[in-house]
Structure formats: structure tokens, C-alpha cells
Amino acid sequence: MMFESAWLTRTNGPVDVAAIEAHLSALPWAWRDPVNGKQFFLAGRVRAARDARAWRIAHPTEFPTEGVLVSVHPDGVRIDQRGHPESMARARDFLTWLLGTGSWRARTEFTPARPLTSAKDLYPGALPSRDDLADDPLQSPVIEGALTRWTVGNRTLAVHSSGAVQLQLPQGGVVDARLAQTELDAWNRVADLDPDDLDFDEPEPSAGVEFERETPEGEQSAWFDKTRIPEQVFPLAQQVTKLSSALENWVPGKPVPTGLVSITRKPS
């Protein structure tokens, strides 16, 4: 880590506090401090940001350590950080954006004030890319889109509306895959169901299906017997059967099954 605290000053005009704060406020992995309303906290991932904000509210005399603090003032911008690569990568991206708004100088506890020509002047080393920092769409809580889970016994098929797929196998291990666009469109059409609207009978334990649908607004569930699938769920059940079979029967070395663009199998 090249610094713990950096002070940035504009050299070709005033600091546009409102524009910088608006940019920070729009970042899904950042939040304005809910306690004092001054600093902004940058986390590596959206879920990490939400967890850190909740922690901050519960501990108002402390800040979470795995993030970057940014404060914007009429005479400059301060960046304070610890050596966590993921949040530093977000600070690097913020600095790249900031340099696009004008010319800046920076000083740190290790260096005198000097012109900044690129984010590499403060972040010269390798840091995670934006792709590396994407939240897992199959993990709860859902950040965007919709996640469908279909569980029978100890086998769970999870499909996100973006195309990410995972099958948890009864014997352990998982199969990860991504749906081709035509298959994804078909899945999203039949999976767009509200479990609260389904009519179903309490299933026998040995034949029970748990159907879950999760969005950023919350999670809903329904349970039914796999031998008595509700009519409105039947098209989805057909897709589940087809997709689960393709994933479970695939082994490394075989071609990618039809309807998928990628597939990997991970042992337990």
C-alpha cells in the first residue's frame, strides 16, 4: 500500500463538491455516513457495503475497517484507507473518475504534493478488476434481478435472471453453468411467478418441493408435492427437470450441453 491518507487538491478550478458527492452517492458499493453525514464509505462489493453500513449504525463511535473513507471539502478531497485490495480497487476507480473532472495534485504521509497524471500515481500495484468485484448473483440477499431456487431433498437448482446457474448435488459438490440467451429468455418467462399466488397442498416429506423466488424486495416461498405440481408451475417444473438432468449428467471432458455457454463441475 502506497499510503494510508491522501489529500487531493484541484489545480485548474474549484472543487465541485456537489458533483463529486453525487457521483459517490450513485455508486452501489458506497454510502454516505449515516451517523455524521459527512464521509463516504467505499466497499469492495455491494453486499459488503450494506453489511458495513449496518455495522456502522450499530457501532456509531467506530468505522468499519475494510473500506475506504472519502470526504469532500471545498478545498480538496481526502482519501483514508487500510490495505484491503477490494476497497482500494474501488478507490482507484473513484480516483480515475475524479481525474476526468480536472487536474489534481496529491500529497500523502509519504510524499509531498505532486501533480497526478493517472490513478497509477497513487495505486501503482495490481488490484482486483471490476469483474473480480462483481457480487455473486446466486448468493442471498439478491442485489438485482430475480433468483429462483428449486429444492427436492438435498438437491437444489438455483438460477438467476442474469443466466447464472448452480446445481448442488446430493452426493456433494456443485455444477456451475451459464444459460445461453434463448434458454435464459425461456427460463425467465416461466420463472416469473409469485409463490404467494400459488394454490398448493402440504406435500409429503419424501416428495416435497420447495420453490423460492428472491428479488431485492424480499423472498417468497411455496411448498408442494412433486407428483402434484400446480398448473401454473408446470412449465417451470419442466425447465427444472431438463436443466437439472443436463447439469447432473455432464462430466468434464464432454461438450457443453445444448442451451448453455459454459459449465464447470466442482467436487465436494
Side-chain angles (χ1 to χ4, degrees):
M1 186 172 64
M2 295 293 292
F3 69 93
E4 291 185 358
S5 182
W7 175 249
L8 315 178
T9 53
R10 182 80 181 265
T11 61
N12 65 338
V15 176
D16 191 336
V17 175
I20 297 171
E21 291 191 340
H23 173 76
L24 290 166
S25 296
L27 298 175
W29 47 82
W31 41 263
R32 184 192 287 269
D33 182 25
V35 177
N36 64 34
K38 296 178 181 179
Q39 295 102 322
F40 287 82
F41 183 92
L42 276 62
R45 290 180 167 82
V46 177
R47 287 191 187 90
R50 294 180 179 181
D51 291 344
R53 187 178 187 278
W55 190 93
R56 168 65 170 156
I57 293 172
H59 303 80
T61 62
E62 303 175 71
F63 265 103
T65 59
E66 294 189 8
V68 171
L69 286 179
V70 177
S71 55
V72 187
H73 308 272
D75 56 341
V77 175
R78 181 172 299 281
I79 299 176
D80 294 298
Q81 64 186 16
R82 302 288 180 89
H84 299 287
E86 293 182 352
S87 56
M88 289 169 62
R90 296 301 192 188
R92 174 199 58 194
D93 292 345
F94 165 67
L95 180 57
T96 299
W97 175 87
L98 192 65
L99 290 174
T101 68
S103 298
W104 295 79
R105 292 169 62 85
R107 73 170 186 267
T108 73
E109 69 270 33
F110 303 117
T111 60
R114 58 181 180 177
L116 283 177
T117 58
S118 79
K120 291 182 179 179
D121 292 342
L122 291 183
Y123 296 97
L127 290 171
S129 68
R130 289 196 175 191
D131 289 342
D132 294 332
L133 296 176
D135 284 82
D136 183 354
L138 300 172
Q139 181 181 339
S140 184
V142 170
I143 301 299
E144 60 183 1
L147 177 61
T148 302
R149 300 186 192 90
W150 184 281
T151 301
V152 180
N154 54 357
R155 178 190 283 102
T156 297
L157 176 69
V159 182
H160 188 266
S161 55
S162 65
V165 179
Q166 185 176 87
L167 177 65
Q168 297 179 356
L169 301 171
Q171 65 272 26
V174 298
V175 181
D176 291 311
R178 179 162 291 277
L179 289 171
Q181 189 60 50
T182 53
E183 288 296 314
L184 176 59
D185 292 342
W187 174 275
N188 285 337
R189 281 195 299 271
V190 299
D192 188 15
L193 299 169
D194 185 343
D196 287 348
D197 293 338
L198 302 180
D199 295 323
F200 56 90
D201 298 321
E202 196 67 26
E204 294 293 333
S206 61
V209 174
E210 182 177 9
F211 166 52
E212 300 170 277
R213 184 81 168 164
E214 183 180 354
T215 67
E217 287 70 44
E219 182 178 350
Q220 297 168 299
S221 302
W223 293 264
F224 41 82
D225 196 307
K226 66 182 179 183
T227 64
R228 299 193 300 274
I229 301 294
E231 181 179 354
Q232 60 267 57
V233 186
F234 190 71
L236 175 60
Q238 289 181 308
Q239 289 278 11
V240 167
T241 299
K242 181 179 72 171
L243 182 55
S244 296
S245 176
L247 296 175
E248 189 159 6
N249 292 329
W250 180 83
V251 294
K254 283 189 173 183
V256 175
T258 302
L260 301 177
V261 295
S262 65
I263 185 169
T264 58
R265 193 180 190 104
K266 302 174 184 177
S268 58

